[in-house]
Amino acid sequence: MSVEGSPAFRPEAVRALCDSQLRANFRRAMDGLVAKRAAVFTDPIEWRELRALGASLRAGAIARLPELLEELERNCVGNGIRVHWAETTQEANAVVLAILREHGASRVVKGKSMVSEEMHLNEFLEHHGVESLESDLGEYIIQLDGETPSHIIMPAIHKNKGQIARLFGQKIRDARYTEDVDELTAIARRVLRRKFFEADAGISGVNFAVAQTGTLCLVENEGNGRMSTHVPPLHIALMGIEKVVERLEDVPPLYSLLTRSATGQMITTYFNMITGPRGPEEKDGPLEVHLVILDNERSRIYADVELAATLRCIRCGACMNHCPVYSRVGGHAYQAVYPGPIGKILTPQTEGLDRRHDLLHASSLCGACVEVCPVEIPITELLIRLRKEATHADPRSPVRGAGGGRRRLEDLAWRLWATAHRNSRLYRLAGLAATRLRHFLPARLPPLSAWTSTRATPRPAPRTLHELAREKGVPDA
Amino acid sequence: MAGRERPEAVYYYGTCLVDLFYPEAGLCGIRLLEREGLRVIFPQAQTCCAQPAFNCGYHDEAREVARVQIALFPESHPIVVPSGSCAAMMKRHYPALFEGDPDLRRAQAVADRVVELTDFLVTVLRVRLTDLGDQARVTWHASCHALRDMGIDEQPKRLLAQLNNIKLVPLDRERECCGFGGTFAVREPEISAAMVEDKAADIASTGAATLVSADAGCLLNIGGRLEARGDTVRPMHIAEFLWERTRER
């Protein structure tokens, strides 16, 4: 059964739907991203071939996850990167804090990292007396406002420039009120510049970790990633176990798929390849580099051949940009670190079906996400698979909280449905009843009332196709 | 797939929504096929492709119902379906649904022969249509499963393009879901309502007299919203639209 006190998507989605400013912000932003992506994938054959390559590279890496992770560790260590393993987010937080304490570090600048969002790292560090400042502009904005990201690539996409102008005016000392985007960026830049130089440590995410060379690749546009990882004397990189790729040659196609799918860029402004701490002859770079590799339920997903496709994700966000549900309610309604279509399949697996089966139904199964996924994750198929796991309490299920979305009334409804539809005489009788009683449907009662609240009452035809076909002499066999 | 060459007979799988809500459209589909000289067989024991239960995760129940359907087509004729969504269920999901089941081969044999109506009319029959209707302004809604699961995009438009007296006004968001999604409309009624409202507004802004689509689910959803808004746009299944405009009176 469902866990009490679990987040629920529907009430939050309803709230978002009523917020016309939020809806306008998202719709405009998503339309822009959709158009930008379309402009860089104009050749359908190139797109088909590149995404097939991307899918096979990611699927191949996930299939060999344990050995690639060992290889990654070996080569990172060889490069002078210290590697730490964390099974849970609590463990990962503890590892980060221990490293910071060892260095007496109390001021941290952060590059963008969704794994750190999984860990609720900022909150944890603040609680332990460490200042942790987001340096990605979008992340900086939402940190100022005490919010969580509403999109995995553009965390502050739910805000328009007027809202950001007011926020900066209130929260940043000496900041003059302006709605000019360049001026707003300059204000944030001035604050962040100083912080980069004062910081004792930088924390970043990882986009691709190359097993064969022990290289950590970081994709970004603002230069804050490079500043966070190169200016402070200590760099801690965070990654989920799925981020590993086999060879350096695998990176260019995946990088191209990532940036084109995410923001419609052929290439980002910065692409960082981190291969270790500052060498003896080098004048800059951190003195120590640590890599924290987090599981957080991913190995459970890896264990199921079909569900493992979830781990192919390269976090481009194209699925949310194209989702008719996400583009109407925004990211916060999902109440999950990863919103949108990828979040709908990932969150119930990491947090348990008993807690988050609600997300499985936040989809019309339209498949717009699948159409644009650069690594061919069959999101709608996995949603259906997870719906099955959620409604059947099979003790052998590989998914946490299996059966947690089961309702006796629904079980009964589908049993009745099956009885009516496997017996063609019963089905035709029901059709006869529905057509003859077509003016007496209980339109005001659930579940039909959910339909008729915004639509005219559906009226069955006077006679079914079965009847018409027989009458017109259409042969039965 | 089986039978890209012209067959002598086809099976017709009407689908439960057409059966109950758009039987005339279902019949028009049969007439379009018969006019091309085919013998159309409508197995009277057909019920539902089982997609509703399948999509909700009730696969045992879905299999029970699907098992009845796969027994309906003993000859090797193509199975023509006037719905991309139901066709996708049969073509793409039946084999997975019967994985490890003694009926897998039969399910696969059915899946191999399933073809969506407009695809069949264009690709196999290469129909030539003569428009006998009055001047009309129409718009087209592309259904998600036809588009993305069956790869049917150009076929219906090629049929509509043969009608000389219509002006096809495209929607701003032709490829966006209308918000039906089977049980989605009932489980997430508010989001579904927001989606269908946007779709209805998009349709109304084209000034079209008729909305043509090839899936009964979308028509039921969009038509219901158009009616509630008081719009006079008429929702019509493409089979009925084509037949009504081309039949000899």
Side-chain angles (χ1 to χ4, degrees):
Chain A
M1 284 291 112
S2 257
V3 175
E4 285 211 25
S6 302
F9 173 74
R10 189 173 160 195
E12 284 306 306
V14 171
R15 227 160 57 146
L17 284 172
C18 296
D19 185 340
S20 55
Q21 177 73 68
L22 184 89
R23 281 188 66 176
N25 290 357
F26 267 100
R27 192 64 163 184
R28 193 180 325 110
M30 295 306 110
D31 282 350
L33 289 167
V34 166
K36 281 184 182 167
R37 177 193 168 277
V40 294
F41 284 119
T42 48
D43 178 349
I45 296 167
E46 192 255 359
W47 155 246
R48 217 163 38 233
E49 285 174 359
L50 185 60
R51 98 193 275 229
L53 175 62
S56 81
L57 290 173
R58 289 298 297 138
I62 297 304
R64 300 179 50 214
L65 202 50
E67 55 182 296
L68 291 186
L69 284 169
E70 280 177 21
E71 191 182 349
L72 175 70
E73 179 179 32
R74 221 170 28 247
N75 290 320
C76 281
V77 169
N79 291 340
I81 299 173
R82 303 199 199 170
V83 178
H84 311 261
W85 299 90
E87 198 177 324
T88 63
T89 55
Q90 288 89 338
E91 279 179 35
N93 279 327
V95 168
V96 171
L97 185 64
I99 301 168
L100 294 175
R101 288 220 163 126
E102 195 189 314
H103 290 78
S106 63
R107 287 165 303 181
V108 169
V109 283
K110 272 192 73 245
K112 202 175 144 19
S113 152
M114 288 310 294
V115 163
S116 76
E117 298 290 342
E118 281 180 53
M119 295 158 61
H120 304 291
L121 180 64
N122 290 339
E123 213 181 321
F124 173 84
L125 290 180
E126 297 289 344
H127 182 73
H128 287 86
V130 177
E131 179 194 279
S132 176
L133 185 75
E134 294 288 350
S135 66
D136 170 271
L137 183 57
E139 290 280 353
Y140 175 70
I141 291 165
I142 59 166
Q143 190 181 27
L144 269 185
D145 213 7
E147 289 186 313
T148 54
S150 59
H151 188 286
I152 63 170
I153 298 292
M154 274 142 290
I157 199 84
H158 56 288
K159 290 191 185 310
N160 61 21
K161 64 181 175 185
Q163 291 166 311
I164 294 165
R166 282 194 294 282
L167 178 70
F168 277 21
Q170 285 162 11
K171 297 280 174 82
I172 301 176
R173 220 177 334 137
D174 308 327
R176 182 174 83 69
Y177 182 88
T178 171
E179 289 193 12
D180 182 286
V181 175
D182 290 336
E183 282 186 50
L184 286 168
T185 308
I187 292 170
R189 190 172 190 273
R190 208 167 52 233
V191 174
L192 292 169
R193 275 274 134 174
R194 207 182 61 240
K195 294 287 184 181
F196 284 126
F197 294 114
E198 289 172 0
D200 305 312
I203 295 180
S204 76
V206 174
N207 291 96
F208 310 107
V210 183
Q212 211 172 58
T213 56
T215 309
L216 309 179
C217 304
L218 195 57
V219 179
E220 51 140 349
N221 274 312
E222 298 171 13
N224 70 304
R226 184 160 298 174
M227 295 289 278
S228 303
T229 57
H230 284 66
V231 177
L234 171 66
H235 170 213
I236 305 172
L238 310 170
M239 66 177 263
I241 56 170
E242 83 284 11
K243 281 282 185 272
V244 70
V245 298
E246 188 181 345
R247 305 162 308 167
L248 212 50
E249 301 93 282
D250 299 347
V251 173
L254 291 171
Y255 175 46
S256 177
L257 282 167
L258 173 60
T259 63
R260 289 159 82 184
S261 301
T263 49
Q265 290 173 287
M266 293 307 286
I267 189 169
T268 44
T269 319
Y270 293 85
F271 181 76
N272 307 285
M273 303 175 81
I274 297 159
T275 45
R278 180 192 304 191
E281 300 299 317
E282 291 169 351
K283 292 201 167 62
D284 59 5
L287 300 169
E288 263 184 40
V289 177
H290 294 257
L291 174 64
V292 182
I293 304 177
L294 174 68
D295 183 341
N296 192 24
E297 300 293 326
R298 288 169 173 81
S299 54
R300 187 196 279 269
I301 302 173
Y302 158 79
D304 183 278
V305 171
E306 191 185 12
L307 296 173
T310 314
L311 300 178
R312 281 185 215 163
C313 178
I314 56 173
R315 307 281 189 259
C316 71
C319 60
M320 37 202 95
N321 303 345
H322 290 76
C323 177
V325 174
Y326 178 92
S327 63
R328 283 180 175 78
V329 302
H332 287 150
Y334 297 80
Q335 300 159 80
V337 172
Y338 302 94
I342 185 64
K344 284 178 228 176
I345 57 169
L346 182 59
T347 311
Q349 294 187 75
T350 55
E351 292 191 21
L353 289 165
D354 45 352
R355 270 180 59 76
R356 295 317 308 266
H357 60 85
D358 60 321
L359 292 177
L360 300 175
H361 294 282
S363 167
S364 66
L365 302 179
C366 79
C369 51
V370 180
E371 194 175 28
V372 296
C373 177
V375 289
E376 296 179 353
I377 302 173
I379 296 174
T380 49
E381 279 173 34
L382 296 183
L383 275 173
I384 292 171
R385 163 77 194 279
L386 290 168
R387 287 176 181 182
K388 182 175 133 200
E389 302 289 340
T391 49
H392 295 80
D394 183 351
R396 292 161 306 173
S397 170
V399 192
R400 249 178 77 188
R406 188 174 163 210
R407 290 177 304 171
R408 288 186 193 289
L409 197 62
E410 192 182 4
D411 283 359
L412 180 68
W414 287 119
R415 274 204 297 279
L416 287 173
W417 174 89
T419 306
H421 288 84
R422 70 165 177 248
N423 181 328
S424 65
R425 265 181 300 184
L426 205 55
Y427 169 84
R428 269 176 287 178
L429 190 67
L432 212 60
T435 49
R436 298 319 185 262
L437 300 173
R438 64 206 201 92
H439 295 294
F440 302 99
L441 287 182
R444 305 267 161 251
L445 294 177
L448 210 54
S449 57
W451 178 272
T452 54
S453 59
T454 41
R455 300 170 192 86
T457 306
R459 289 270 170 252
R463 282 174 311 162
T464 64
L465 178 59
H466 280 77
E467 289 175 78
L468 296 183
R470 199 167 38 222
E471 204 180 280
K472 305 286 176 195
V474 181
D476 168 43
Chain B
M1 69 152 278
R4 277 292 161 194
E5 66 273 25
R6 198 183 182 90
E8 152 283 316
V10 295
Y11 287 112
Y12 194 74
Y13 191 80
T15 82
C16 65
L17 281 183
V18 164
D19 194 27
L20 205 54
F21 292 101
Y22 301 98
E24 287 294 342
L27 200 60
C28 292
I30 293 175
R31 286 173 170 148
L32 285 169
L33 295 165
E34 285 177 340
R35 189 169 66 186
E36 298 301 310
L38 300 184
R39 191 162 66 87
V40 180
I41 303 161
F42 182 89
Q44 282 283 334
Q46 60 181 278
T47 65
C48 169
C49 69
Q51 185 178 189
F54 179 78
N55 281 356
C56 288
Y58 285 81
H59 292 189
D60 292 339
E61 288 80 358
R63 203 176 302 107
E64 272 179 49
V65 171
R67 205 183 298 282
V68 179
Q69 317 310 310
I70 60 176
L72 300 172
F73 316 105
E75 307 292 329
S76 62
H77 316 310
I79 303 159
V80 180
V81 186
S83 155
S85 192
C86 309
M89 174 67 203
M90 300 169 87
K91 195 165 195 68
R92 292 181 38 110
H93 299 306
Y94 274 11
L97 188 59
F98 284 90
E99 191 69 57
D101 187 281
D103 278 334
L104 174 61
R105 282 180 65 173
R106 190 185 247 182
Q108 185 68 57
V110 166
D112 290 344
R113 285 184 286 140
V114 165
V115 52
E116 189 269 346
L117 176 67
T118 63
D119 190 15
F120 190 74
L121 291 173
V122 170
T123 321
V124 180
L125 299 183
R126 298 165 201 231
V127 294
R128 287 279 149 254
L129 301 171
T130 307
D131 193 356
L132 304 174
D134 299 332
Q135 296 286 330
R137 198 176 166 91
V138 305
T139 190
W140 165 254
H141 164 70
S143 301
C144 299
H145 293 167
L147 199 58
R148 304 196 179 93
D149 286 349
M150 299 293 286
I152 293 163
D153 190 358
E154 288 307 311
Q155 294 90 321
K157 288 185 211 160
R158 273 161 62 186
L159 291 168
L160 294 174
Q162 293 186 40
L163 303 177
N164 292 327
N165 299 332
I166 66 162
K167 179 168 171 50
L168 184 64
V169 189
L171 294 177
D172 274 351
R173 298 175 192 269
E174 178 184 298
R175 296 163 63 94
E176 187 172 83
C177 178
C178 70
F180 177 61
T183 56
F184 173 75
V186 179
R187 284 187 198 257
E188 300 287 352
E190 298 85 5
I191 300 174
S192 174
M195 288 164 71
V196 74
E197 167 55 20
D198 289 349
K199 183 61 78 174
D202 194 356
I203 291 164
S205 75
T206 62
T210 312
L211 162 74
V212 185
S213 190
D215 246 297
C218 312
L219 286 169
L220 200 61
N221 183 40
I222 302 169
R225 182 63 198 146
L226 287 169
E227 193 185 328
R229 279 166 51 105
D231 286 320
T232 53
V233 187
R234 185 172 172 209
M236 219 169 173
H237 193 283
I238 190 165
E240 186 170 3
F241 185 74
L242 295 177
W243 176 256
E244 287 302 326
R245 292 199 68 94
T246 59
R247 75 190 170 105
E248 303 281 347
R249 283 158 214 264

